[in-house]
Amino acid sequence: MEFAELIKTPRVDNVVLHRPFYPAVEGTLCLTGHHLILSSRQDNTEELWLLHSNIDAIDKRFVGPLGTIIIKCKDFRIIQLDIPGMEECLNIASSIEALSTLDSITLMYPFFYRPMFEVIEDGWHSFLPEQEFELYSSATSEWRLSYVNKEFAVCPSYPPIVIVPKSIDDEALRKVATFRHGGRFPVLSYYHKKNGMVIMRSGQPLTGTNGRRCKEDEKLINATLRAGKRGYIIDTRSLNVAQQARAKGGGFEQEAHYPQWRRIHKSIERYHILQESLIKLVEACNDQTHNMDRWLSKLEASNWLTHIKEILTTACLAAQCIDREGASILIHGTEGTDSTLQVTSLAQIILEPRSRTIRGFEALIEREWLQAGHPFQQRCAQSAYCNSKQKWESPVFLLFLDCVWQILRQFPCSFEFNENFLIMLFEHAYASQFGTFLGNNESERYFPTLEQILQVSG
Amino acid sequence: MEHIRTTKVEQVKLLDRFSTSNKSLTGTLYLTATHLLFIDSHQKETWILHHHIALVEKLALTTSGCPLVIQCKNFRIVHFIVPRERDCHDIYNSLLQLSKQAKYEDLYAFSYNPKQNDSERLRGWQLIDLAEEYKRMGVPNSNWQLSDANREYKICETYPRELYVPRIASKPIIVGSSKFRSKGRFPVLSYYHEHKEAAICRCSQPLSGFSARCLEDEHLLQAISKANPVNRYMYVMDTRPKHRMQSWWATQKDIGRIIVRISSKIWNDEKIRESDEKKRLNAMANRAAGKGYENEDNYSNIRFQFVGIENIHVMRSSLQKLLEVNGTKGLSVSDFYSGLESSGWLRHIKAVMDAAIFLAKAITVESASVLVHCSDGWDRTSQVCSLGSLLLDSYYRTIKGFMVLIEKDWISFGHKFSERCGHLDGDPKEVSPVFTQFLECVWHLTEQFPQAFEFNEAFLVQIHEHIHSCQFGNFLGNCQKEREELKLKEKTYSLWPFLLDDQKKYLNPLYTSKSPKFTVLEPNTVSFNFKFWRNMYHQFDRTLHPRQSVFNIITNMNEQNKQLEKDIKDLESKIKQCKNKPTDGILTKELIHSVHPESPTLKTSLCFKEQTLLPVNHALRTIEGSNPADNRYSEYAEEFSKSEPGVVSLEYGVARMTC
């Protein structure tokens, strides 16, 4: 497909742009395959370069021959274009609509982007699991690298290389994978050097209604416990939700089969509940009435901060288990790709000073989000202005960044980076010239030839 | 002391207010003439000044003892468990007596002795000189003069002796106007903007039910508008909500009409404002009066503005609700926000702020003079005038200037501190957090303009502490006349010199002092700029505070830099000396080298992590004999100065969540 087919009017003059924090600018509007560009052709005014993939929703309005397009972006910006001529306006609007909803991943901008700067580092190979493992292997010999998922056959959403207990062979891992949701068998997420305790993560066990069990699974997670020690399983779902999951073949670890583990249920929301929360929050923020009561009640009704608090409390609980109680933990929800990752990554930020540096934070995102198979493509398909209400769209990653920001607010001297770094990551997760956040997991990123594409960190 | 029956109780438990585990400290409770003191097993002392106690409650006996809950005006809440009920009862009764004094002479200030002699005490009182302040503003001048009308408090008991009025306002006019205004509080100058030649004036409401016109009052308003050579139009700002004003409007309307009548004779050639402006005003007048309004063509040189700040009773219950919500253990996020909303507190804060912004804009944009009033002109009027001046004049954003502002707009103009703070056992309906709201508005400004203020949050909290402490004479009494009768300047001490001595604690390290005098602050009052002021309302709930203070780090860094700069200078002068003696060439080299060992300290101090803070409290001085509770900021500093653990531990209080 050629982009040109979608662009009926590539250029319109005398378009007026209104955007927040800038004075209105009149200039020429151009559409390219990936960008909407507005330039006044004067040196002193900044040009607008907007990625089509950043566009969340558009509205059209007409007053006489003057058309107005209101563009709502995934980064929450709202910009307005006043376009003279009804036909031009309609053409532009339909082009934007088509170009911002391309579904083929290989048509995305990262495949066309040529950096203007010198690439100083191959971002794709900056944070390899092998290097991560080396950091642990000096402290412990109880873990090993497993290549069992080399072909993505055992677990499609896992990376080719994972860290597992040394005493468990690949054959056992294959068996455990059949017992865990999405094949996500328990793997090492974090090793606390101070006392040797670990955070593991997985998908839910597929116990079903008849209480199926898997000896290898029990053996695997027990292998991580020291003699006489007990561990904690943190289920990010409430007990009720976990019980209901049994009807669909899922479930949770029965005490009888996992006597050395204590299970704790928390309730972190997922999916569209979070998306609706974000929509309400952004709506409250954009409310221009300046009415205090309305703002507070809208903020409350959005429940956004309730979600933040729940995630943070769970992460604090996990960190306390590790550091204070000296107990290892296994964390999972249903799939183990959303709330699980929020908790494991936040717990590491609380526990590990290295993850509070720029490089350490990048490594954390690479490890706990990208390689761990958080489906960015699905979750970040739309943002706060969409009406599509797809179940898989959800601001899980944004919530994580917000939680980090909350910790940053309380410990302003413990982070190498500031909030701009977090905002930048948010923007790139939703629309970017870099390929880092494309795809839903490592296997999807692997099959299209993405090697040429750069890391955000590049 | 006749009220104290038990001076010491052992084995008393102090419960932690927010801890989820029922942690408690065991220690000994002492009752002194001025303080309640609790010393726990770690020898940590908690001092509570009797005057700070707002409420003592004895709860039902439990198995572990008798619970005693004390709520303080500085938002401390302590929960003791006294093992024997008899002891608890004795303490309860003593505290009831001690916290509510009947006479001014029994307040702490009259017995407090910081070991100063009389001349030091007098110098302390002379530190803030309001005559000097009016001179700084640029009055008296050709339009404004000092009036001696109230020299003997004959016209208005609650005003100060020295008042500034328009030069053309004669004494009979002033006297006549004062009879028309509630409590005799006629329009006088509060702030003069030298650059715009516009004035902020203040007064009380015209006497309601007074249907006849008062020519003198009209003349006085007339004189105020004439005293502004730039813009003859002036605003009359009524800070009360419109719906409470309908009865009052009728009288005010007359004044407006009459003034217009007079003025139209004088300024016949004056241009009449655009018709849409008139329509807007007219609509407002109609709404307020509930009926039409005649003479609209003439009604153009006074503009009425309502800003809708609620009265003291609304504010009192609003704060009460706010504290109730935030005192809840295990508060959920949605309960916090719905409680915050239903308390209305931030809405009231925003209303005060919006009013001050309107005032500042009228002066800067239109160069118009503004007359501010509420009912009696000592609560909302003080809030709006002082906050407006603070927006306009950067002097009031310095430590000294802020003291002057409080002395001028609050103390001298008769904000009833003793009644509003409940210093004496009086009418609880007169108590209201009006001044606290002012401090909170200032805090919101410091949050939006972190570089504009010389002082920090601790300064505001400390002032709040002392309006209730009755330790210094400044805030005792309800007006200047009363203060003179109490002979406060002879019997008590002024707070300001003590704060100035301690100013290191209160300096804002981000302050840029170079801004010109009339740098106007234009705060944004979008709702989400208003936050719950945790460090005020939870100042004693240590678990709810952030664990690291950026301010302390910057302060320490600045101090280190200063030290290093001094070292450089010293070394440079040494080099010069050595160069004068050419034979010592080798020594010079060594000296240059000796500079280097200093630089790594600087580097580490700029580094973001694992920085051990210099304990700030070394630099702080404790006032001898002062209220030990004053020292809590240095306690925080101690807490911050502990080296950071590898794990950041989080206990989530909802109040700390920010959006």
Side-chain angles (χ1 to χ4, degrees):
Chain A
M1 184 199 68
E2 287 291 320
F3 290 122
E5 293 166 18
L6 298 173
I7 305 171
K8 287 172 216 144
T9 308
R11 201 188 128 157
V12 191
D13 287 324
N14 303 325
V15 174
V16 181
L17 163 73
H18 306 268
R19 57 178 162 164
F21 309 119
Y22 292 94
V25 177
E26 189 180 321
T28 304
L29 178 76
C30 297
L31 282 187
T32 73
H34 294 106
H35 282 99
L36 180 149
I37 303 160
L38 189 125
S39 171
S40 65
R41 305 193 178 179
Q42 277 156 16
D43 298 335
N44 52 353
T45 46
E46 226 189 305
E47 292 178 344
L48 172 77
W49 283 71
L50 185 71
L51 269 178
H52 294 314
S53 56
N54 195 357
I55 295 169
D56 205 26
I58 63 168
D59 285 338
K60 300 180 286 269
R61 271 206 313 254
F62 291 97
V63 181
L66 183 77
T68 295
I69 301 179
I70 293 165
I71 299 176
K72 298 175 177 177
C73 303
K74 289 179 188 167
D75 58 13
F76 310 140
R77 242 184 318 174
I78 296 181
I79 56 182
Q80 184 187 325
L81 296 170
D82 297 337
I83 299 170
M86 178 157 339
E87 196 193 329
E88 284 88 349
C89 186
L90 283 171
N91 285 349
I92 295 281
S94 69
S95 299
I96 293 176
E97 236 162 321
L99 289 165
S100 62
T101 49
L102 296 176
D103 44 9
S104 167
I105 194 168
T106 49
L107 290 176
M108 305 297 267
Y109 185 53
F111 287 92
F112 299 82
Y113 175 65
R114 292 288 169 269
M116 304 285 284
F117 53 86
E118 192 190 345
V119 181
I120 48 169
E121 186 183 353
D122 174 12
W124 293 113
H125 297 101
S126 294
F127 306 103
L128 294 175
E130 290 93 333
Q131 293 162 358
E132 196 59 31
F133 182 66
E134 260 167 43
L135 294 173
Y136 300 143
S137 54
S138 59
T140 175
S141 55
E142 292 160 20
W143 298 86
R144 69 178 180 96
L145 286 175
S146 166
Y147 299 86
V148 66
N149 198 37
K150 208 163 53 190
E151 310 291 327
F152 302 107
V154 179
C155 171
S157 62
Y158 267 174
I161 309 169
V162 290
I163 306 173
V164 294
K166 194 163 216 170
S167 56
I168 306 296
D169 59 23
D170 283 356
E171 202 40 53
L173 291 178
R174 283 197 188 91
K175 280 199 182 125
V176 177
T178 61
F179 179 66
R180 291 277 172 178
H181 191 112
R184 295 174 70 91
F185 53 88
V187 293
L188 181 77
S189 159
Y190 172 67
Y191 180 85
H192 196 47
K193 277 189 183 157
K194 188 176 143 196
N195 57 10
M197 294 302 129
V198 295
I199 299 176
M200 287 179 297
R201 53 177 157 74
S202 67
Q204 65 176 344
L206 302 174
T207 56
T209 39
N210 50 9
R212 196 160 78 96
R213 64 188 284 195
C214 171
K215 281 273 195 299
E216 287 79 5
D217 187 71
E218 293 157 27
K219 200 179 150 212
L220 190 159
I221 70 165
N222 284 338
T224 64
L225 292 178
R226 304 261 165 89
K229 279 278 202 180
R230 278 164 64 95
Y232 291 90
I233 293 171
I234 297 179
D235 193 324
T236 60
R237 307 162 293 178
S238 67
L239 181 60
N240 222 348
V241 175
Q243 277 167 342
Q244 282 163 11
R246 283 194 298 201
K248 290 180 200 155
F252 51 86
E253 294 83 354
Q254 298 287 340
E255 286 88 347
H257 304 153
Y258 298 84
Q260 286 163 284
W261 294 83
R262 222 191 111 199
R263 209 177 61 245
I264 303 171
H265 288 277
K266 296 300 246 175
S267 55
I268 300 178
E269 292 291 351
R270 293 174 309 148
Y271 301 141
H272 63 283
I273 293 178
L274 300 180
Q275 187 80 354
E276 275 159 26
S277 175
L278 177 67
I279 291 169
K280 282 188 197 158
L281 176 75
V282 172
E283 198 212 311
C285 292
N286 286 334
D287 184 348
Q288 294 296 326
T289 56
H290 299 210
N291 178 323
M292 183 66 70
D293 289 358
R294 201 153 133 181
W295 156 248
L296 288 172
S297 68
K298 277 183 160 182
L299 179 62
E300 186 225 320
S302 80
N303 269 329
W304 183 260
L305 289 172
T306 308
H307 301 314
I308 298 277
K309 189 179 180 222
E310 196 57 46
I311 297 165
L312 276 172
T313 327
T314 313
C316 291
L317 174 77
Q320 263 171 7
C321 287
I322 297 274
D323 193 72
R324 301 279 153 86
E325 305 266 319
S328 287
I329 48 174
L330 169 68
I331 299 173
H332 68 75
T334 306
E335 291 97 342
T337 54
D338 296 285
S339 54
T340 308
L341 304 182
Q342 288 172 330
V343 176
T344 58
S345 49
L346 282 168
Q348 292 180 47
I349 284 175
I350 294 169
L351 291 166
E352 170 70 81
R354 192 169 61 94
S355 64
R356 293 174 231 141
T357 63
I358 287 182
R359 217 173 155 79
F361 194 70
E362 286 175 353
L364 180 80
I365 287 176
E366 181 68 34
R367 211 168 60 232
E368 290 301 307
W369 290 88
L370 294 163
Q371 290 172 12
H374 175 67
F376 278 99
Q377 185 89 15
Q378 290 182 341
R379 298 288 180 262
C380 302
Q382 299 269 248
S383 176
Y385 300 116
C386 74
N387 313 310
S388 68
K389 297 246 168 86
Q390 297 290 355
K391 190 192 171 184
W392 57 77
E393 288 160 3
S394 183
V396 175
F397 187 63
L398 175 60
L399 272 163
F400 159 71
L401 294 177
D402 196 340
C403 289
V404 176
W405 183 78
Q406 299 283 353
I407 302 176
L408 179 74
R409 294 269 302 183
Q410 286 195 44
F411 298 90
C413 316
S414 295
F415 288 80
E416 189 185 17
F417 51 85
N418 58 18
E419 66 177 356
N420 294 337
F421 183 59
L422 299 174
I423 293 170
M424 185 273 290
L425 286 170
F426 155 70
E427 287 167 355
H428 282 283
Y430 279 84
S432 175
Q433 67 270 45
F434 302 108
T436 308
F437 295 107
L438 286 184
N440 289 311
N441 48 51
E442 285 294 288
S443 77
E444 281 188 29
R445 276 185 282 272
Y446 188 75
F447 286 117
T449 49
L450 291 184
E451 280 85 7
Q452 298 295 314
I453 300 154
L454 289 157
Q455 279 283 120
V456 178
S457 61
Chain B
M1 288 293 286
E2 68 272 28
H3 301 309
I4 300 177
R5 269 170 235 140
T6 314
T7 53
K8 181 178 171 190
V9 187
E10 286 173 347
Q11 291 296 311
V12 173
K13 275 191 205 140
L14 174 63
L15 299 186
D16 192 320
R17 192 170 160 216
F18 286 101
S19 163
T20 37
S21 61
N22 278 322
K23 260 195 295 187
S24 68
L25 292 163
T26 308
T28 310
L29 200 61
Y30 298 90
L31 201 57
T32 75
T34 54
H35 288 87
L36 181 71
L37 167 64
F38 178 78
I39 303 181
D40 67 25
S41 48
H42 309 295
Q43 300 304 312
K44 215 180 126 292
E45 297 172 4
T46 306
W47 291 78
I48 296 170
L49 186 65
H50 296 325
H51 296 314
H52 270 146
I53 296 176
L55 189 71
V56 201
E57 273 178 296
K58 206 169 71 129
L59 305 183
L61 193 67
T62 65
T63 47
S64 50
C66 190
L68 186 69
V69 180
I70 300 173
Q71 288 183 34
C72 300
K73 293 170 185 169
N74 54 4
F75 311 115
R76 189 203 285 271
I77 295 180
V78 281
H79 195 146
F80 291 117
I81 294 185
V82 186
R84 285 172 52 212
E85 209 215 337
R86 213 194 133 70
D87 291 334
C88 184
H89 190 71
D90 283 349
I91 291 180
Y92 172 73
N93 278 331
S94 303
L95 288 179
L96 275 190
Q97 301 286 335
L98 291 166
S99 64
K100 292 269 177 233
Q101 301 292 356
K103 298 200 301 284
Y104 280 114
E105 284 75 14
D106 292 331
L107 294 176
Y108 187 29
F110 289 89
S111 59
Y112 171 66
N113 182 6
K115 301 206 178 81
Q116 280 190 346
N117 61 36
D118 284 353
S119 69
E120 280 173 307
R121 183 207 307 248
L122 188 64
R123 241 179 293 137
W125 280 110
Q126 285 164 347
L127 184 72
I128 308 291
D129 180 359
L130 288 186
E132 201 57 43
E133 166 59 12
Y134 283 103
K135 221 181 273 169
R136 188 194 67 86
M137 289 180 205
V139 287
N141 59 21
S142 55
N143 288 318
W144 294 89
Q145 66 173 358
L146 177 65
S147 159
D148 60 358
N150 202 38
R151 189 130 288 168
E152 306 300 324
Y153 297 115
K154 275 196 183 127
I155 297 179
C156 176
E157 294 203 330
T158 57
Y159 266 172
R161 288 174 189 271
E162 299 188 336
L163 293 167
Y164 291 81
V165 293
R167 202 168 273 277
I168 55 167
S170 64
K171 195 167 173 183
I173 286 180
I174 291 171
V175 174
S177 164
S178 76
K179 287 190 177 128
F180 181 67
R181 295 275 168 181
S182 165
K183 308 279 196 312
R185 295 171 69 91
F186 61 95
V188 294
L189 181 77
S190 161
Y191 177 76
Y192 177 73
H193 197 284
E194 207 174 3
H195 183 55
K196 299 277 181 189
E197 299 182 76
I200 301 176
C201 295
R202 54 186 291 168
C203 65
S204 62
Q205 65 179 346
L207 285 172
S208 54
F210 198 91
S211 54
R213 10 184 313 202
C214 172
L215 271 176
E216 290 90 346
D217 194 67
E218 292 150 24
H219 273 296
L220 189 52
L221 262 74
Q222 174 74 40
I224 291 172
S225 88
K226 276 173 93 176
N228 182 340
V230 186
N231 189 345
R232 291 272 150 97
Y233 294 97
M234 72 180 269
Y235 282 100
V236 171
M237 240 177 118
D238 192 321
T239 55
R240 296 170 291 186
K242 258 177 258 169
H243 58 127
R244 291 178 202 272
M245 289 320 310
Q246 292 189 354
S247 60
W248 171 83
W249 179 266
T251 45
Q252 191 69 16
K253 197 176 61 178
D254 283 341
I255 305 168
R257 188 168 58 220
I258 293 151
I259 289 168
V260 171
R261 205 169 296 151
I262 304 162
S263 61
S264 54
K265 277 180 207 147
I266 303 167
W267 304 310
N268 250 344
D269 53 343
E270 197 88 48
K271 249 172 93 184
I272 288 170
R273 284 260 155 164
E274 286 92 313
S275 61
D276 63 343
E277 176 72 7
K278 262 181 293 165
K279 269 181 205 150
R280 191 181 63 82
L281 267 167
N282 197 28
M284 196 173 81
N286 287 341
R287 246 181 296 141
K291 57 180 180 184
Y293 188 72
E294 65 257 41
N295 263 349
E296 62 178 67
D297 292 336
N298 293 332
Y299 188 60
S300 53
N301 73 329
I302 283 206
R303 273 166 277 171
F304 289 95
Q305 177 71 26
F306 288 89
V307 288
I309 303 172
E310 295 288 347
N311 65 29
I312 58 167
H313 310 294
V314 175
M315 299 307 190
R316 181 179 54 244
S317 59
S318 168
L319 180 62
Q320 223 157 10
K321 266 189 225 153
L322 180 80
L323 296 176
E324 263 166 42
V325 170
N326 287 294
T328 318
K329 240 188 197 179
L331 184 67
S332 77
V333 177
S334 59
D335 286 349
F336 171 68
Y337 280 105
S338 63
L340 196 59
E341 184 208 330
S342 69
S343 79
W345 183 254
L346 291 179
R347 189 180 72 223
H348 301 318
I349 297 290
K350 180 169 145 62
V352 176
M353 200 82 116
D354 280 331
I357 292 168
F358 179 86
L359 173 59
K361 271 212 181 117
I363 289 190
T364 52
V365 179
E366 301 180 56
S367 301
S369 290
V370 185
L371 174 65
V372 184
H373 75 80
C374 48
S375 306
D376 289 319
W378 50 43
D379 293 311
R380 291 168 268 198
T381 303
S382 294
Q383 287 178 331
V384 175
C385 288
S386 56
L387 208 57
S389 317
L390 189 85
L391 294 176
L392 290 167
D393 192 334
S394 63
Y395 174 66
Y396 296 128
R397 296 172 223 144
T398 63
I399 287 185
K400 178 86 184 289
F402 193 65
M403 294 171 176
V404 169
L405 185 67
I406 292 173
E407 279 285 344
K408 174 171 73 75
D409 272 319
W410 292 87
I411 296 175
S412 90
F413 277 117
H415 174 68
K416 304 200 286 176
F417 274 105
S418 271
E419 288 198 353
R420 295 290 177 263
C421 301
H423 289 158
L424 297 176
D425 192 10
D427 184 358
K429 285 217 167 70
E430 284 291 324
V431 176
S432 187
V434 177
F435 188 73
T436 310
Q437 288 184 318
F438 164 67
L439 292 178
E440 180 163 337
C441 289
V442 177
W443 175 74
H444 281 290
L445 290 174
T446 63
E447 288 284 295
Q448 279 198 40
F449 303 96
Q451 293 185 296
F453 290 83
E454 190 189 9
F455 50 82
N456 60 17
E457 189 179 35
F459 185 62
L460 300 174
V461 175
Q462 188 68 290
I463 290 174
H464 183 263
E465 176 94 3
H466 283 296
I467 61 167
H468 293 108
S469 72
C470 303
Q471 185 179 350
F472 297 96
N474 307 59
F475 304 106
L476 299 189
N478 292 312
C479 58
Q480 291 297 57
K481 184 167 180 261
E482 202 175 347
R483 286 184 194 106
E484 283 172 21
E485 285 162 5
L486 288 169
K487 298 200 165 55
L488 289 176
K489 292 196 179 176
E490 291 148 53
K491 293 182 176 166
T492 69
Y493 295 85
S494 167
L495 167 67
W496 309 126
F498 293 92
L499 290 184
L500 273 182
D501 274 356
D502 248 4
Q503 62 170 301
K504 251 191 172 166
K505 269 201 244 182
Y506 308 125
L507 286 175
N508 169 14
L510 301 176
Y511 176 57
T512 45
S513 52
K514 286 167 196 77
S515 58
K517 185 183 168 195
F518 296 116
T519 317
V520 184
L521 299 186
E522 290 171 37
N524 185 333
T525 57
V526 178
S527 300
F528 44 73
N529 278 331
F530 291 88
K531 293 172 283 187
F532 174 70
W533 191 7
R534 182 189 56 225
N535 287 350
M536 172 62 95
Y537 304 107
H538 283 307
Q539 53 181 303
F540 293 96
D541 301 309
R542 215 68 67 69
T543 51
L544 301 185
H545 290 250
R547 308 300 161 85
Q548 295 167 335
S549 158
V550 177
F551 267 15
N552 282 352
I553 288 181
I554 298 172
T555 308
N556 289 329
M557 237 160 70
N558 284 350
E559 250 160 54
Q560 272 180 346
N561 285 351
K562 260 185 214 151
Q563 185 60 42
L564 290 172
E565 272 163 24
K566 202 178 142 263
D567 288 352
I568 291 172
K569 269 196 190 130
D570 287 354
L571 292 168
E572 275 173 348
S573 70
K574 271 187 194 167
I575 290 172
K576 256 187 203 156
Q577 279 175 14
C578 294
K579 273 188 181 158
N580 292 340
K581 291 181 254 167
T583 40
D584 291 347
I586 305 153
L587 184 62
T588 316
K589 248 183 203 165
E590 269 171 42
L591 276 171
I592 293 167
H593 278 294
S594 70
V595 182
H596 289 282
E598 299 279 358
S599 50
T601 16
L602 185 69
K603 259 186 201 161
T604 46
S605 75
L606 291 167
C607 181
F608 71 99
K609 60 179 173 183
E610 261 77 69
Q611 193 207 355
T612 321
L613 295 172
L614 301 175
V616 175
N617 47 334
H618 285 321
L620 304 175
R621 281 172 48 204
T622 315
I623 315 167
E624 202 183 333
S626 72
N627 178 9
D630 295 359
N631 301 336
R632 63 181 185 286
Y633 268 87
S634 51
E635 285 167 28
Y636 290 159
E638 254 169 60
E639 201 151 273
F640 290 136
S641 70
K642 281 176 197 157
S643 68
E644 181 203 328
V647 183
V648 294
S649 72
L650 299 155
E651 283 164 45
Y652 272 85
V654 188
R656 288 198 286 159
M657 309 282 286
T658 359
C659 183

